[in-house]
Amino acid sequence: MKIIKNTLKIILLLLFLIMALFPLYWVIVTSFKDYKEIYTFPIKYLPSKINFENYKYLFEISNFGIYFKNSVLISLISALGAMIISIFSGYSLSRFKYNKAKNTLLLAMYFSQMIPTFMIMAPLFTSFANFGMTDSLFSLMVIYISTMIAFSTIMGKGFFDRIPVALEEAALIDGCNNMQTIIKIVIPLSLPGLAAIFSFAFVNIWNELFLAAMFMSSSYKMTIPVALNSFISKAGVSWGVLSAGIVVALLPTMIIFAFTQKYIVQGLTDGAVKG
Amino acid sequence: MLKKSHTQKNKFLIYILIPAFLFLGLFIYFPVIKGIFISFKNYTLFDLSNTQFNNFQNFKNIFTDQNFRFIQILFNTIIWVVISLLFQFILGFILALLMKKPFKGRGLYSALVFYPWALSGFAIGLIWAWMFNGQFGVINDILLKLGLINSNIGFLSNPKIAMISVIVVNIWYGVPFFAIMLLAALQSVPNELYEAAKIDGAGPVKQLFSITIPYIKPTIISTTLLRTIWIMNFPDIIYAMTNGGPANSTNILATQMINKILKFYDYGQGSAYGVVIIAILLTYAIIYLKISSKKGNDNI
């Protein structure tokens, strides 16, 4: 009985794994096939030889290297910005004593999660255009920081709730001021949580398409999702090149996810759900 | 002395809250208010000099547009949200139950099985659009080889099937989220509860419904609420796969909204759809929280 149960469990676990991995496998295989092989029958489940033609096209002809650099720069700085700001807002909401004010502020944060991106796009664009600040990496970073602050704060609050106030009081008695307490006590104790906040924001910003597409008009300022989007509208770009682009786009977030997965899980569950 | 440090601390807490709300205020709340105003105006990119109040025309259009397409779009949206959510939840719950007890390599397993969560909806849509391709798609090939179908299926070109196809992809994308959340919740259920239930002679199914589910109910409520909001506001997969077609069969409120903006540059009309989405989500959230908190009280 126990053996049957365990075998069934293993089979189910394997099924979930295959389902999860197959699309990844398929996009990688496609990216290494040459143009002809992609459109031949019978479909080949392995490329007859590893072919780098699609990747060559990406980096030599379509400037994917520049888009990659843009995406890394924007995601890194915006995620750091959102994290730093929400350390303070999350800590504040965690230690705030007035429940009514606190709940109102939290609700305001939750409400911002319901707003469709397209609703704020035109107003943002026209406001930034007034200052001549569209088509700028900086503007996009500022906007991305804003879109990530609410969720980061909610997550951060969940983490800070678990740090005993007694520790901070001890530091205050030792002569630390409020700011020093945060830097010396609160931040070191919540590093896993901060890692979660950072990577969650990074992944979301890295993947964002529509705001970046609207704000960046110069082609050398495109981010990776925008570049992928421009591939599909351009006729003549094959699924091979698109697949190679997708593989390149997936790599950083998957690496980050693999390293910080544990903390993200903890962060999401402690912060967003119970908090 | 003590009182003084208290008011000081409160002042400090308010100061450090300012940057966050400055960003939110300037770049989220202020634009959304402006967006609501835009929804009552003529506002197309072609003619920004002529943006005036247009007597609720944008909202009238939503409900009367092209032979009452709104009903179809609303219906599509409900199907998209409900079916996606249901299967994401059920499959995520099964996966979480399977992973609850530690086994060798669970860390690696979870990294591999949860990774879709780190991908963008847009990239996922593209990958699956290629796999669902009617001519060269691998899914058709596999189904043919398994003898489940006789000829290729137009997963994305057949209006009767397209919605199922995009929902399958959305389910695939959302299972890790639920599994992650529910797994953490499952691990917080005290073991004593199960031991006591075993002594009372409760089987696995009874344990599931009388202990596990009631215990993790708060997590279930908050995750389904959060997920509903995200799915409803999530045009990326459909945008990448079918862009609402064929024949509107996969058009939901979110894709209709972005089409009005991306295709027709009609921000007034698009924003009106945005207002409808926010109104639906707010109503839903309030009702959902009311009902679930009431039931929670009954249990206690």
Side-chain angles (χ1 to χ4, degrees), chain A residues 13 19-20 24 30 41 45 91-92 108 114 118 122 207 214 269 273, chain B residues 9 13 27 29 109 115 120 130 135 141 172 184 222 233 258 267:
Chain A
L13 281 169
M19 279 307 292
L24 180 67
T30 308
F41 288 108
Y45 284 81
Y91 176 79
S92 172
M114 294 186 189
F118 276 80
N207 289 334
M214 174 151 202
T269 42
V273 175
Chain B
K9 171 106 193 194
L13 288 178
F27 305 114
Y29 299 136
Y109 181 85
Y115 87 90
S120 75
W130 169 232
Q135 217 182 337
D141 194 59
W172 181 84
S222 50
N233 254 337
I258 72 174
Y267 284 88

PDB file of all heavy atoms in Angstrom, chain A residues 13 19-20 24 30 41 45 91-92 108 114 118 122 207 214 269 273, chain B residues 9 13 27 29 109 115 120 130 135 141 172 184 222 233 258 267:
ATOM      1  N   LEU A  13       4.783  13.868  -9.249  1.00  0.00           N
ATOM      2  CA  LEU A  13       5.840  14.880  -9.155  1.00  0.00           C
ATOM      3  C   LEU A  13       6.579  15.001 -10.486  1.00  0.00           C
ATOM      4  O   LEU A  13       6.890  16.099 -10.935  1.00  0.00           O
ATOM      5  CB  LEU A  13       6.822  14.523  -8.036  1.00  0.00           C
ATOM      6  CG  LEU A  13       6.382  14.853  -6.618  1.00  0.00           C
ATOM      7  CD1 LEU A  13       7.305  14.217  -5.589  1.00  0.00           C
ATOM      8  CD2 LEU A  13       6.326  16.361  -6.396  1.00  0.00           C
ATOM      9  N   MET A  19       5.839  18.920 -17.241  1.00  0.00           N
ATOM     10  CA  MET A  19       4.966  20.005 -17.707  1.00  0.00           C
ATOM     11  C   MET A  19       5.658  21.360 -17.563  1.00  0.00           C
ATOM     12  O   MET A  19       5.544  22.227 -18.426  1.00  0.00           O
ATOM     13  CB  MET A  19       3.670  20.033 -16.892  1.00  0.00           C
ATOM     14  CG  MET A  19       2.612  19.043 -17.317  1.00  0.00           C
ATOM     15  SD  MET A  19       2.245  19.156 -19.071  1.00  0.00           S
ATOM     16  CE  MET A  19       1.452  20.765 -19.123  1.00  0.00           C
ATOM     17  N   ALA A  20       6.351  21.538 -16.445  1.00  0.00           N
ATOM     18  CA  ALA A  20       7.004  22.830 -16.214  1.00  0.00           C
ATOM     19  C   ALA A  20       8.181  23.024 -17.164  1.00  0.00           C
ATOM     20  O   ALA A  20       8.387  24.107 -17.701  1.00  0.00           O
ATOM     21  CB  ALA A  20       7.476  22.933 -14.761  1.00  0.00           C
ATOM     22  N   LEU A  24      10.375  25.229 -21.714  1.00  0.00           N
ATOM     23  CA  LEU A  24      11.739  25.751 -21.653  1.00  0.00           C
ATOM     24  C   LEU A  24      12.634  24.953 -22.592  1.00  0.00           C
ATOM     25  O   LEU A  24      13.407  25.513 -23.383  1.00  0.00           O
ATOM     26  CB  LEU A  24      12.256  25.653 -20.218  1.00  0.00           C
ATOM     27  CG  LEU A  24      13.667  26.170 -19.987  1.00  0.00           C
ATOM     28  CD1 LEU A  24      13.722  27.673 -20.203  1.00  0.00           C
ATOM     29  CD2 LEU A  24      14.160  25.831 -18.587  1.00  0.00           C
ATOM     30  N   THR A  30      14.541  25.056 -30.135  1.00  0.00           N
ATOM     31  CA  THR A  30      14.228  25.866 -31.314  1.00  0.00           C
ATOM     32  C   THR A  30      15.317  26.892 -31.581  1.00  0.00           C
ATOM     33  O   THR A  30      15.677  27.155 -32.728  1.00  0.00           O
ATOM     34  CB  THR A  30      12.879  26.586 -31.139  1.00  0.00           C
ATOM     35  OG1 THR A  30      11.895  25.626 -30.778  1.00  0.00           O
ATOM     36  CG2 THR A  30      12.455  27.277 -32.412  1.00  0.00           C
ATOM     37  N   PHE A  41       9.278  18.795 -41.663  1.00  0.00           N
ATOM     38  CA  PHE A  41       8.638  17.621 -41.077  1.00  0.00           C
ATOM     39  C   PHE A  41       9.511  16.400 -41.314  1.00  0.00           C
ATOM     40  O   PHE A  41      10.189  16.332 -42.339  1.00  0.00           O
ATOM     41  CB  PHE A  41       7.268  17.397 -41.722  1.00  0.00           C
ATOM     42  CG  PHE A  41       6.263  18.409 -41.295  1.00  0.00           C
ATOM     43  CD1 PHE A  41       5.824  19.392 -42.176  1.00  0.00           C
ATOM     44  CD2 PHE A  41       5.762  18.399 -40.005  1.00  0.00           C
ATOM     45  CE1 PHE A  41       4.907  20.332 -41.774  1.00  0.00           C
ATOM     46  CE2 PHE A  41       4.838  19.346 -39.603  1.00  0.00           C
ATOM     47  CZ  PHE A  41       4.398  20.322 -40.489  1.00  0.00           C
ATOM     48  N   TYR A  45      13.121  16.581 -32.373  1.00  0.00           N
ATOM     49  CA  TYR A  45      13.110  16.914 -30.955  1.00  0.00           C
ATOM     50  C   TYR A  45      14.494  17.292 -30.429  1.00  0.00           C
ATOM     51  O   TYR A  45      14.644  17.709 -29.294  1.00  0.00           O
ATOM     52  CB  TYR A  45      12.482  15.788 -30.142  1.00  0.00           C
ATOM     53  CG  TYR A  45      10.984  15.814 -30.316  1.00  0.00           C
ATOM     54  CD1 TYR A  45      10.379  15.263 -31.437  1.00  0.00           C
ATOM     55  CD2 TYR A  45      10.182  16.473 -29.387  1.00  0.00           C
ATOM     56  CE1 TYR A  45       9.012  15.342 -31.618  1.00  0.00           C
ATOM     57  CE2 TYR A  45       8.811  16.556 -29.552  1.00  0.00           C
ATOM     58  CZ  TYR A  45       8.238  15.989 -30.681  1.00  0.00           C
ATOM     59  OH  TYR A  45       6.878  16.083 -30.847  1.00  0.00           O
ATOM     60  N   TYR A  91       9.066  49.634   7.252  1.00  0.00           N
ATOM     61  CA  TYR A  91       9.390  49.736   8.679  1.00  0.00           C
ATOM     62  C   TYR A  91       8.413  50.683   9.362  1.00  0.00           C
ATOM     63  O   TYR A  91       7.888  50.382  10.430  1.00  0.00           O
ATOM     64  CB  TYR A  91      10.815  50.244   8.844  1.00  0.00           C
ATOM     65  CG  TYR A  91      11.227  50.477  10.274  1.00  0.00           C
ATOM     66  CD1 TYR A  91      11.605  49.408  11.084  1.00  0.00           C
ATOM     67  CD2 TYR A  91      11.210  51.751  10.817  1.00  0.00           C
ATOM     68  CE1 TYR A  91      11.960  49.611  12.400  1.00  0.00           C
ATOM     69  CE2 TYR A  91      11.567  51.965  12.134  1.00  0.00           C
ATOM     70  CZ  TYR A  91      11.948  50.894  12.930  1.00  0.00           C
ATOM     71  OH  TYR A  91      12.287  51.108  14.235  1.00  0.00           O
ATOM     72  N   SER A  92       8.156  51.801   8.720  1.00  0.00           N
ATOM     73  CA  SER A  92       7.243  52.782   9.296  1.00  0.00           C
ATOM     74  C   SER A  92       5.858  52.174   9.537  1.00  0.00           C
ATOM     75  O   SER A  92       5.297  52.283  10.619  1.00  0.00           O
ATOM     76  CB  SER A  92       7.138  53.983   8.369  1.00  0.00           C
ATOM     77  OG  SER A  92       6.129  54.855   8.805  1.00  0.00           O
ATOM     78  N   ALA A 108      -4.469  52.014   0.728  1.00  0.00           N
ATOM     79  CA  ALA A 108      -4.031  52.815  -0.420  1.00  0.00           C
ATOM     80  C   ALA A 108      -2.983  52.053  -1.218  1.00  0.00           C
ATOM     81  O   ALA A 108      -2.964  52.096  -2.450  1.00  0.00           O
ATOM     82  CB  ALA A 108      -3.478  54.149   0.065  1.00  0.00           C
ATOM     83  N   MET A 114      -4.577  47.443  -8.118  1.00  0.00           N
ATOM     84  CA  MET A 114      -5.734  47.185  -8.982  1.00  0.00           C
ATOM     85  C   MET A 114      -5.726  48.034 -10.243  1.00  0.00           C
ATOM     86  O   MET A 114      -6.576  47.857 -11.111  1.00  0.00           O
ATOM     87  CB  MET A 114      -7.029  47.486  -8.226  1.00  0.00           C
ATOM     88  CG  MET A 114      -7.299  46.568  -7.081  1.00  0.00           C
ATOM     89  SD  MET A 114      -8.925  46.942  -6.401  1.00  0.00           S
ATOM     90  CE  MET A 114      -8.869  45.938  -4.941  1.00  0.00           C
ATOM     91  N   PHE A 118      -2.290  50.552 -18.317  1.00  0.00           N
ATOM     92  CA  PHE A 118      -2.665  51.425 -19.435  1.00  0.00           C
ATOM     93  C   PHE A 118      -3.450  52.646 -18.994  1.00  0.00           C
ATOM     94  O   PHE A 118      -3.547  53.625 -19.712  1.00  0.00           O
ATOM     95  CB  PHE A 118      -3.447  50.639 -20.481  1.00  0.00           C
ATOM     96  CG  PHE A 118      -2.530  49.924 -21.427  1.00  0.00           C
ATOM     97  CD1 PHE A 118      -1.934  48.737 -21.061  1.00  0.00           C
ATOM     98  CD2 PHE A 118      -2.226  50.463 -22.665  1.00  0.00           C
ATOM     99  CE1 PHE A 118      -1.068  48.089 -21.913  1.00  0.00           C
ATOM    100  CE2 PHE A 118      -1.361  49.827 -23.527  1.00  0.00           C
ATOM    101  CZ  PHE A 118      -0.773  48.634 -23.154  1.00  0.00           C
ATOM    102  N   ALA A 122      -0.974  57.232 -20.437  1.00  0.00           N
ATOM    103  CA  ALA A 122      -1.059  58.517 -21.134  1.00  0.00           C
ATOM    104  C   ALA A 122      -0.785  59.689 -20.194  1.00  0.00           C
ATOM    105  O   ALA A 122       0.001  60.581 -20.543  1.00  0.00           O
ATOM    106  CB  ALA A 122      -2.421  58.666 -21.806  1.00  0.00           C
ATOM    107  N   ASN A 207      10.654  42.133 -16.779  1.00  0.00           N
ATOM    108  CA  ASN A 207       9.648  41.565 -17.672  1.00  0.00           C
ATOM    109  C   ASN A 207       8.666  42.589 -18.240  1.00  0.00           C
ATOM    110  O   ASN A 207       7.844  42.253 -19.075  1.00  0.00           O
ATOM    111  CB  ASN A 207       8.842  40.488 -16.933  1.00  0.00           C
ATOM    112  CG  ASN A 207       9.668  39.246 -16.679  1.00  0.00           C
ATOM    113  OD1 ASN A 207      10.611  38.968 -17.402  1.00  0.00           O
ATOM    114  ND2 ASN A 207       9.312  38.497 -15.652  1.00  0.00           N
ATOM    115  N   MET A 214       6.137  52.333 -24.569  1.00  0.00           N
ATOM    116  CA  MET A 214       5.602  53.667 -24.791  1.00  0.00           C
ATOM    117  C   MET A 214       6.664  54.744 -24.566  1.00  0.00           C
ATOM    118  O   MET A 214       6.734  55.717 -25.314  1.00  0.00           O
ATOM    119  CB  MET A 214       4.442  53.912 -23.844  1.00  0.00           C
ATOM    120  CG  MET A 214       3.938  55.334 -23.918  1.00  0.00           C
ATOM    121  SD  MET A 214       2.232  55.424 -23.526  1.00  0.00           S
ATOM    122  CE  MET A 214       1.762  56.956 -24.293  1.00  0.00           C
ATOM    123  N   THR A 269       5.100  34.825   1.504  1.00  0.00           N
ATOM    124  CA  THR A 269       4.157  34.224   2.441  1.00  0.00           C
ATOM    125  C   THR A 269       4.106  35.010   3.741  1.00  0.00           C
ATOM    126  O   THR A 269       3.033  35.268   4.261  1.00  0.00           O
ATOM    127  CB  THR A 269       4.524  32.760   2.704  1.00  0.00           C
ATOM    128  OG1 THR A 269       5.937  32.677   2.851  1.00  0.00           O
ATOM    129  CG2 THR A 269       4.105  31.901   1.556  1.00  0.00           C
ATOM    130  N   VAL A 273       1.041  37.758   2.530  1.00  0.00           N
ATOM    131  CA  VAL A 273      -0.149  36.968   2.809  1.00  0.00           C
ATOM    132  C   VAL A 273      -0.635  37.121   4.230  1.00  0.00           C
ATOM    133  O   VAL A 273      -1.770  37.487   4.482  1.00  0.00           O
ATOM    134  CB  VAL A 273       0.122  35.494   2.465  1.00  0.00           C
ATOM    135  CG1 VAL A 273      -1.058  34.659   2.864  1.00  0.00           C
ATOM    136  CG2 VAL A 273       0.367  35.379   0.986  1.00  0.00           C
TER     137      VAL A 273
ATOM    138  N   LYS B   9       9.797  59.525  17.987  1.00  0.00           N
ATOM    139  CA  LYS B   9       9.778  58.302  17.188  1.00  0.00           C
ATOM    140  C   LYS B   9       8.630  58.368  16.164  1.00  0.00           C
ATOM    141  O   LYS B   9       8.791  58.018  15.008  1.00  0.00           O
ATOM    142  CB  LYS B   9       9.607  57.098  18.109  1.00  0.00           C
ATOM    143  CG  LYS B   9       9.358  55.801  17.400  1.00  0.00           C
ATOM    144  CD  LYS B   9      10.577  54.906  17.429  1.00  0.00           C
ATOM    145  CE  LYS B   9      10.403  53.773  16.451  1.00  0.00           C
ATOM    146  NZ  LYS B   9      11.326  52.692  16.610  1.00  0.00           N
ATOM    147  N   LEU B  13       8.806  58.161  12.175  1.00  0.00           N
ATOM    148  CA  LEU B  13       8.087  57.171  11.368  1.00  0.00           C
ATOM    149  C   LEU B  13       7.328  57.842  10.226  1.00  0.00           C
ATOM    150  O   LEU B  13       7.221  57.296   9.131  1.00  0.00           O
ATOM    151  CB  LEU B  13       7.121  56.367  12.244  1.00  0.00           C
ATOM    152  CG  LEU B  13       7.759  55.356  13.201  1.00  0.00           C
ATOM    153  CD1 LEU B  13       6.701  54.656  14.035  1.00  0.00           C
ATOM    154  CD2 LEU B  13       8.600  54.336  12.444  1.00  0.00           C
ATOM    155  N   PHE B  27       3.414  59.429  -9.267  1.00  0.00           N
ATOM    156  CA  PHE B  27       3.491  58.587 -10.466  1.00  0.00           C
ATOM    157  C   PHE B  27       2.455  57.471 -10.522  1.00  0.00           C
ATOM    158  O   PHE B  27       2.415  56.714 -11.481  1.00  0.00           O
ATOM    159  CB  PHE B  27       4.905  58.013 -10.594  1.00  0.00           C
ATOM    160  CG  PHE B  27       5.955  59.077 -10.599  1.00  0.00           C
ATOM    161  CD1 PHE B  27       6.866  59.184  -9.556  1.00  0.00           C
ATOM    162  CD2 PHE B  27       6.013  60.004 -11.634  1.00  0.00           C
ATOM    163  CE1 PHE B  27       7.824  60.194  -9.544  1.00  0.00           C
ATOM    164  CE2 PHE B  27       6.963  61.013 -11.635  1.00  0.00           C
ATOM    165  CZ  PHE B  27       7.868  61.108 -10.588  1.00  0.00           C
ATOM    166  N   TYR B  29      -0.993  57.640  -8.124  1.00  0.00           N
ATOM    167  CA  TYR B  29      -2.315  58.171  -7.787  1.00  0.00           C
ATOM    168  C   TYR B  29      -2.698  59.372  -8.648  1.00  0.00           C
ATOM    169  O   TYR B  29      -3.815  59.458  -9.156  1.00  0.00           O
ATOM    170  CB  TYR B  29      -2.380  58.558  -6.297  1.00  0.00           C
ATOM    171  CG  TYR B  29      -2.153  57.394  -5.370  1.00  0.00           C
ATOM    172  CD1 TYR B  29      -1.327  57.504  -4.259  1.00  0.00           C
ATOM    173  CD2 TYR B  29      -2.754  56.153  -5.614  1.00  0.00           C
ATOM    174  CE1 TYR B  29      -1.107  56.436  -3.410  1.00  0.00           C
ATOM    175  CE2 TYR B  29      -2.538  55.083  -4.771  1.00  0.00           C
ATOM    176  CZ  TYR B  29      -1.716  55.229  -3.681  1.00  0.00           C
ATOM    177  OH  TYR B  29      -1.488  54.164  -2.853  1.00  0.00           O
ATOM    178  N   TYR B 109      14.241  20.432  -6.910  1.00  0.00           N
ATOM    179  CA  TYR B 109      12.950  20.194  -7.544  1.00  0.00           C
ATOM    180  C   TYR B 109      12.102  21.467  -7.548  1.00  0.00           C
ATOM    181  O   TYR B 109      11.527  21.838  -8.576  1.00  0.00           O
ATOM    182  CB  TYR B 109      12.199  19.067  -6.835  1.00  0.00           C
ATOM    183  CG  TYR B 109      10.860  18.747  -7.460  1.00  0.00           C
ATOM    184  CD1 TYR B 109      10.769  17.877  -8.539  1.00  0.00           C
ATOM    185  CD2 TYR B 109       9.684  19.329  -6.987  1.00  0.00           C
ATOM    186  CE1 TYR B 109       9.556  17.597  -9.128  1.00  0.00           C
ATOM    187  CE2 TYR B 109       8.465  19.066  -7.569  1.00  0.00           C
ATOM    188  CZ  TYR B 109       8.400  18.187  -8.643  1.00  0.00           C
ATOM    189  OH  TYR B 109       7.190  17.929  -9.224  1.00  0.00           O
ATOM    190  N   TYR B 115      10.000  27.622 -11.658  1.00  0.00           N
ATOM    191  CA  TYR B 115      10.648  28.682 -12.430  1.00  0.00           C
ATOM    192  C   TYR B 115       9.702  29.503 -13.328  1.00  0.00           C
ATOM    193  O   TYR B 115       9.982  30.670 -13.582  1.00  0.00           O
ATOM    194  CB  TYR B 115      11.809  28.120 -13.269  1.00  0.00           C
ATOM    195  CG  TYR B 115      11.383  27.613 -14.619  1.00  0.00           C
ATOM    196  CD1 TYR B 115      11.377  28.459 -15.722  1.00  0.00           C
ATOM    197  CD2 TYR B 115      10.925  26.321 -14.775  1.00  0.00           C
ATOM    198  CE1 TYR B 115      10.930  28.013 -16.956  1.00  0.00           C
ATOM    199  CE2 TYR B 115      10.479  25.867 -16.001  1.00  0.00           C
ATOM    200  CZ  TYR B 115      10.483  26.711 -17.081  1.00  0.00           C
ATOM    201  OH  TYR B 115      10.017  26.276 -18.278  1.00  0.00           O
ATOM    202  N   SER B 120       8.248  36.288 -17.958  1.00  0.00           N
ATOM    203  CA  SER B 120       7.241  37.307 -18.242  1.00  0.00           C
ATOM    204  C   SER B 120       6.070  36.680 -18.986  1.00  0.00           C
ATOM    205  O   SER B 120       6.248  35.737 -19.764  1.00  0.00           O
ATOM    206  CB  SER B 120       7.846  38.426 -19.081  1.00  0.00           C
ATOM    207  OG  SER B 120       8.011  38.015 -20.413  1.00  0.00           O
ATOM    208  N   TRP B 130       4.243  29.479 -30.190  1.00  0.00           N
ATOM    209  CA  TRP B 130       5.060  28.659 -31.100  1.00  0.00           C
ATOM    210  C   TRP B 130       4.750  27.176 -30.914  1.00  0.00           C
ATOM    211  O   TRP B 130       4.634  26.423 -31.878  1.00  0.00           O
ATOM    212  CB  TRP B 130       6.540  28.977 -30.863  1.00  0.00           C
ATOM    213  CG  TRP B 130       7.535  28.066 -31.502  1.00  0.00           C
ATOM    214  CD1 TRP B 130       8.567  27.430 -30.900  1.00  0.00           C
ATOM    215  CD2 TRP B 130       7.599  27.687 -32.891  1.00  0.00           C
ATOM    216  NE1 TRP B 130       9.265  26.681 -31.788  1.00  0.00           N
ATOM    217  CE2 TRP B 130       8.696  26.819 -33.025  1.00  0.00           C
ATOM    218  CE3 TRP B 130       6.836  27.989 -34.019  1.00  0.00           C
ATOM    219  CZ2 TRP B 130       9.066  26.246 -34.238  1.00  0.00           C
ATOM    220  CZ3 TRP B 130       7.189  27.422 -35.232  1.00  0.00           C
ATOM    221  CH2 TRP B 130       8.290  26.566 -35.336  1.00  0.00           C
ATOM    222  N   GLN B 135       0.722  24.565 -37.733  1.00  0.00           N
ATOM    223  CA  GLN B 135       1.407  23.811 -38.770  1.00  0.00           C
ATOM    224  C   GLN B 135       2.669  23.127 -38.243  1.00  0.00           C
ATOM    225  O   GLN B 135       2.870  21.928 -38.423  1.00  0.00           O
ATOM    226  CB  GLN B 135       1.778  24.787 -39.890  1.00  0.00           C
ATOM    227  CG  GLN B 135       1.660  24.180 -41.255  1.00  0.00           C
ATOM    228  CD  GLN B 135       2.079  25.190 -42.306  1.00  0.00           C
ATOM    229  OE1 GLN B 135       2.051  26.405 -42.082  1.00  0.00           O
ATOM    230  NE2 GLN B 135       2.485  24.692 -43.447  1.00  0.00           N
ATOM    231  N   ASP B 141       2.162  17.833 -32.965  1.00  0.00           N
ATOM    232  CA  ASP B 141       2.988  16.672 -33.290  1.00  0.00           C
ATOM    233  C   ASP B 141       2.874  15.596 -32.201  1.00  0.00           C
ATOM    234  O   ASP B 141       2.694  14.417 -32.497  1.00  0.00           O
ATOM    235  CB  ASP B 141       4.445  17.125 -33.444  1.00  0.00           C
ATOM    236  CG  ASP B 141       5.302  16.063 -34.107  1.00  0.00           C
ATOM    237  OD1 ASP B 141       4.963  15.688 -35.244  1.00  0.00           O
ATOM    238  OD2 ASP B 141       6.271  15.601 -33.481  1.00  0.00           O
ATOM    239  N   TRP B 172      -0.746  27.185 -16.631  1.00  0.00           N
ATOM    240  CA  TRP B 172       0.652  26.758 -16.531  1.00  0.00           C
ATOM    241  C   TRP B 172       1.474  27.807 -15.795  1.00  0.00           C
ATOM    242  O   TRP B 172       2.308  27.493 -14.954  1.00  0.00           O
ATOM    243  CB  TRP B 172       1.200  26.536 -17.948  1.00  0.00           C
ATOM    244  CG  TRP B 172       2.622  26.071 -17.998  1.00  0.00           C
ATOM    245  CD1 TRP B 172       3.059  24.788 -17.884  1.00  0.00           C
ATOM    246  CD2 TRP B 172       3.793  26.882 -18.180  1.00  0.00           C
ATOM    247  NE1 TRP B 172       4.433  24.754 -17.982  1.00  0.00           N
ATOM    248  CE2 TRP B 172       4.911  26.022 -18.167  1.00  0.00           C
ATOM    249  CE3 TRP B 172       4.001  28.248 -18.356  1.00  0.00           C
ATOM    250  CZ2 TRP B 172       6.214  26.471 -18.326  1.00  0.00           C
ATOM    251  CZ3 TRP B 172       5.306  28.701 -18.515  1.00  0.00           C
ATOM    252  CH2 TRP B 172       6.402  27.815 -18.493  1.00  0.00           C
ATOM    253  N   ALA B 184       3.944  26.848   1.754  1.00  0.00           N
ATOM    254  CA  ALA B 184       4.371  27.505   2.987  1.00  0.00           C
ATOM    255  C   ALA B 184       3.279  27.430   4.043  1.00  0.00           C
ATOM    256  O   ALA B 184       3.550  27.208   5.229  1.00  0.00           O
ATOM    257  CB  ALA B 184       4.734  28.958   2.704  1.00  0.00           C
ATOM    258  N   SER B 222      -6.456  35.132   0.884  1.00  0.00           N
ATOM    259  CA  SER B 222      -5.649  36.257   0.388  1.00  0.00           C
ATOM    260  C   SER B 222      -5.002  35.936  -0.953  1.00  0.00           C
ATOM    261  O   SER B 222      -4.883  36.813  -1.806  1.00  0.00           O
ATOM    262  CB  SER B 222      -4.606  36.674   1.421  1.00  0.00           C
ATOM    263  OG  SER B 222      -3.889  35.558   1.860  1.00  0.00           O
ATOM    264  N   ASN B 233      -6.215  41.777 -14.639  1.00  0.00           N
ATOM    265  CA  ASN B 233      -5.419  42.895 -15.161  1.00  0.00           C
ATOM    266  C   ASN B 233      -4.252  42.431 -15.998  1.00  0.00           C
ATOM    267  O   ASN B 233      -3.262  43.128 -16.123  1.00  0.00           O
ATOM    268  CB  ASN B 233      -4.858  43.695 -13.983  1.00  0.00           C
ATOM    269  CG  ASN B 233      -5.579  44.998 -13.826  1.00  0.00           C
ATOM    270  OD1 ASN B 233      -6.157  45.496 -14.786  1.00  0.00           O
ATOM    271  ND2 ASN B 233      -5.560  45.544 -12.642  1.00  0.00           N
ATOM    272  N   ILE B 258      -6.287  47.574 -24.088  1.00  0.00           N
ATOM    273  CA  ILE B 258      -5.010  47.902 -24.711  1.00  0.00           C
ATOM    274  C   ILE B 258      -5.147  48.004 -26.227  1.00  0.00           C
ATOM    275  O   ILE B 258      -4.421  48.752 -26.863  1.00  0.00           O
ATOM    276  CB  ILE B 258      -3.865  46.939 -24.299  1.00  0.00           C
ATOM    277  CG1 ILE B 258      -4.017  45.573 -24.923  1.00  0.00           C
ATOM    278  CG2 ILE B 258      -3.740  46.819 -22.805  1.00  0.00           C
ATOM    279  CD1 ILE B 258      -2.797  44.705 -24.628  1.00  0.00           C
ATOM    280  N   TYR B 267      -7.142  57.030 -26.109  1.00  0.00           N
ATOM    281  CA  TYR B 267      -6.932  56.921 -24.665  1.00  0.00           C
ATOM    282  C   TYR B 267      -8.215  57.152 -23.885  1.00  0.00           C
ATOM    283  O   TYR B 267      -8.397  56.595 -22.813  1.00  0.00           O
ATOM    284  CB  TYR B 267      -5.836  57.889 -24.215  1.00  0.00           C
ATOM    285  CG  TYR B 267      -4.473  57.390 -24.568  1.00  0.00           C
ATOM    286  CD1 TYR B 267      -3.902  57.677 -25.798  1.00  0.00           C
ATOM    287  CD2 TYR B 267      -3.773  56.571 -23.691  1.00  0.00           C
ATOM    288  CE1 TYR B 267      -2.656  57.172 -26.142  1.00  0.00           C
ATOM    289  CE2 TYR B 267      -2.525  56.073 -24.031  1.00  0.00           C
ATOM    290  CZ  TYR B 267      -1.977  56.376 -25.255  1.00  0.00           C
ATOM    291  OH  TYR B 267      -0.752  55.870 -25.583  1.00  0.00           O
TER     292      TYR B 267
END
